[in-house]
Amino acid sequence: MKILLSNDDGIFAKGIETLAMTLIERGHDVYVVAPDEDASGTGHGLTINKPLRYRKYKINGTFFGYMVNGKPADCVKLARWEIFRDIEFDFMISGINRGANLGVDLFYSGTFGAASEAALLGIRSIALSLSEPFDHGKNYLTAAVFAADFIEKIKDFQFPRYKLLNINVPNVKSEELKGYKFTIQGDRNYKENFDKRFDPNGHEYFWITGNAVEYSSNYHSDYYVLKDNYVSITPVALDLTDEKFGLQIEKELDK
């Protein structure tokens, strides 16, 4: 299969390298187009106020892919319409992200942004993340092997229009995984703080910080399934229309 890879941690990240090598070992044709620096938290943003450039990136002297001076969604667009415009991809995988993408993370995540851009372009896509904590190492191979096995199982299944999968893998060895479950997007949010500092000229600036807060006790959510050492697979729709909500407002206006 022909598989496009991108991420938001940058083309230098261990996650995307591990995923690419695993897929190549399985006999797939892998095409990498990723940011030239960490682009975490950029969501589905696009670069419109500066020119985009891409150049080759090598690992130990061997060509690995193309690095782009833009955001994850930029990378997917460039890959589809310019760099590999003559290639019809079977799948696009964004990741392996360093850290889980749960709950509201999907609105901020560049990993999910790249995958959702691919879905909008009609490519079957997956956002793939490895959960915390990283105290005892980063088991990227666990996530890579799971993804390689998973796409083989669904290779003949065509995703509905504007649908994609958000997959989170526990940070454990493969033999410690209990399996996988299809989940709902949880309620994990953040209690945010702004760390105020001052530059040498006395002007204030801020670093945004925060702690994750899980409000839901729904054991079918991505958060709880992941905690129990199951891979969380959340099906996501990019059509944001809420007809029920609209009908409720319409009913209110008709009073």
Side-chain angles (χ1 to χ4, degrees):
M1 289 188 285
K2 293 178 172 59
I3 304 171
L4 173 64
L5 299 186
S6 193
N7 70 351
D8 72 356
D9 292 324
I11 199 167
F12 309 98
K14 191 66 177 177
I16 196 170
E17 179 185 351
T18 304
L19 179 59
M21 295 303 115
T22 300
L23 292 171
I24 290 170
E25 288 173 3
R26 297 290 185 93
H28 299 298
D29 297 325
V30 174
Y31 305 83
V32 177
V33 183
D36 61 4
E37 62 182 9
D38 190 333
S40 299
T42 56
H44 202 148
L46 295 175
T47 300
I48 59 174
N49 56 1
K50 68 176 183 180
L52 286 174
R53 296 181 172 88
Y54 67 89
R55 61 188 188 277
K56 293 181 178 179
Y57 172 67
K58 297 180 180 180
I59 296 179
N60 298 324
T62 301
F63 174 71
F64 178 71
Y66 292 96
M67 54 199 299
V68 178
N69 66 326
K71 300 176 177 67
D74 293 322
C75 295
V76 175
K77 283 184 176 293
L78 268 176
R80 175 67 183 90
W81 299 119
E82 176 59 32
I83 304 173
F84 300 119
R85 58 181 176 271
D86 297 324
I87 295 174
E88 293 298 324
F89 297 108
D90 296 293
F91 282 98
M92 185 275 165
I93 304 178
S94 181
I96 303 166
N97 188 62
R98 184 184 185 278
N101 275 313
L102 309 169
V104 301
D105 293 341
L106 300 194
F107 295 100
Y108 308 116
S109 166
T111 300
F112 186 77
S116 57
E117 179 60 36
L120 292 176
L121 294 176
I123 306 171
R124 292 182 291 178
S125 63
I126 294 170
L128 180 65
S129 303
L130 180 71
S131 77
E132 309 86 344
F134 296 114
D135 305 35
H136 304 293
K138 304 176 187 66
N139 294 290
Y140 288 118
L141 188 59
T142 301
V145 169
F146 178 85
D149 291 340
F150 185 74
I151 62 171
E152 186 64 33
K153 293 176 182 177
I154 64 169
K155 64 182 180 181
D156 296 323
F157 177 74
Q158 296 303 314
F159 288 17
R161 187 170 183 254
Y162 297 164
K163 313 281 187 181
L164 69 155
L165 297 174
N166 182 49
I167 298 180
N168 286 280
V169 180
N171 185 18
V172 296
K173 301 293 184 184
S174 291
E175 56 269 22
E176 297 178 61
L177 290 179
K178 293 181 179 179
Y180 64 85
K181 292 184 178 181
F182 281 85
T183 57
I184 63 171
Q185 183 180 354
D187 291 336
R188 187 170 89 156
N189 210 317
Y190 292 88
K191 182 179 180 181
E192 293 171 330
N193 301 299
F194 290 87
D195 183 8
K196 183 165 70 174
R197 303 180 185 182
F198 294 89
D199 66 23
N201 294 318
H203 301 299
E204 66 182 24
Y205 65 94
F206 298 86
W207 280 106
I208 186 170
T209 62
N211 298 311
V213 178
E214 179 66 29
Y215 295 110
S216 173
S217 59
N218 190 323
Y219 293 100
H220 299 290
S221 74
D222 47 18
Y223 175 78
Y224 280 98
V225 162
L226 197 61
K227 280 180 59 176
D228 200 26
N229 276 6
Y230 284 92
V231 175
S232 164
I233 305 175
T234 306
V236 181
L238 297 181
D239 181 349
L240 304 181
T241 305
D242 189 330
E243 294 182 0
K244 183 179 178 181
F245 180 43
L247 290 172
Q248 289 172 336
I249 296 179
E250 188 175 15
K251 185 177 180 180
E252 182 68 22
L253 293 173
D254 288 339
K255 286 182 179 180

